[in-house]
Amino acid sequence: MKKLLFGGTPLCLVLLMVSCSTIITSCSYNTDLSPVKTENQTNDLGSVEVYNNFLNSLDNVITRDIVEQNYPDYYGGSYTNEEGICVFLIVSGKDMDAAKKDLAKRSKSSNFVTQWCEYSYAELMAVLEYIQTKQFDPSFDTKREELKWYGLSLNEIKNRVIVRLGECTETYILKFKTKVTDSPLVDFEQGYKNIINMSPVVGI
């Protein structure tokens, strides 16, 4: 969905694992279906066009020679729902009406819906970037095998960073939390070794 590089490592190198039961701290997924009515907006744009307009409206920030998007603080991610409509996640506690007006301006459309979430996209990416420093560190290879850590991705629908373990049990989850991170933004799923995922980010 998004071209994001961390430390020169493409996000597409992360491993895909087939998910099973997860340990999830869920946020509210109540969706606001009320239309956004502002001037010079259109209802005929598709989900990808709506998202691309939003993406193009963002200011780029250059850090460590990497171009990254400066996302609004209310933004928690986005994805296309089963009806083919773009869903924008809004961080709980932010001004929903103001966010919807800003999104309508940025996306040049009113053809989207909004949904509350728990964490901002910036928070999710910060955790993902930190975990990747372990995932792609050669000195961590042995410990990664001991953890049976076989995958990492961002799931925007769940508003979580997903870690996939060969043994998704309380024992191995605790090991991961002890040796890597115990961030509440991380959920765990069953994973399998040596399957490469070229499109790990769930979303638009």
Side-chain angles (χ1 to χ4, degrees), residues 55-69:
L55 193 63
N56 291 333
S57 76
L58 304 176
D59 296 324
N60 290 332
V61 177
I62 300 178
T63 58
R64 294 169 296 176
D65 297 324
I66 301 171
V67 177
E68 299 177 350
Q69 276 75 39

Side-chain angles (χ1 to χ4, degrees), residues 36-43 45 104-105 107-110:
V36 180
K37 297 190 177 185
T38 58
E39 295 182 0
N40 302 319
Q41 306 303 313
T42 178
N43 283 321
L45 293 184
K105 179 180 179 180
S107 66
K108 301 177 183 179
S109 175
S110 57

Side-chain angles (χ1 to χ4, degrees), residues 79-203:
Y79 65 92
T80 300
N81 65 16
E82 293 180 357
E83 288 72 38
I85 298 174
C86 183
V87 179
F88 287 111
L89 277 65
I90 309 300
V91 178
S92 178
K94 300 297 182 181
D95 187 328
M96 176 64 81
D97 289 337
K100 288 172 65 176
K101 289 179 181 179
D102 187 56
L103 286 168
K105 179 180 179 180
R106 291 177 181 275
S107 66
K108 301 177 183 179
S109 175
S110 57
N111 190 30
F112 64 82
V113 295
T114 53
Q115 174 180 299
W116 290 114
C117 68
E118 192 168 357
Y119 301 110
S120 72
Y121 194 77
E123 289 176 308
L124 291 168
M125 294 309 296
V127 171
L128 184 67
E129 179 178 5
Y130 172 76
I131 298 176
Q132 282 182 315
T133 62
K134 297 289 188 181
Q135 185 182 30
F136 296 109
D137 183 356
S139 67
F140 199 74
D141 285 349
T142 301
K143 289 183 179 179
R144 187 166 57 249
E145 286 298 317
E146 292 174 356
L147 295 172
K148 298 184 183 294
W149 175 17
Y150 298 149
L152 174 68
S153 63
L154 173 63
N155 189 314
E156 294 188 43
I157 297 176
K158 293 182 177 179
N159 193 231
R160 292 294 189 277
V161 173
I162 304 298
V163 169
R164 294 180 176 85
L165 302 175
E167 292 189 26
C168 193
T169 63
E170 290 292 343
T171 298
Y172 279 88
I173 289 172
L174 180 59
K175 287 182 179 180
F176 184 93
K177 289 182 176 181
T178 300
K179 295 182 180 297
V180 183
T181 179
D182 62 351
S183 170
L185 281 70
V186 176
D187 277 347
F188 297 90
E189 296 182 358
Q190 179 68 44
Y192 301 92
K193 193 175 181 180
N194 295 332
I195 302 177
I196 303 300
N197 175 22
M198 301 306 291
S199 302
V201 179
V202 177

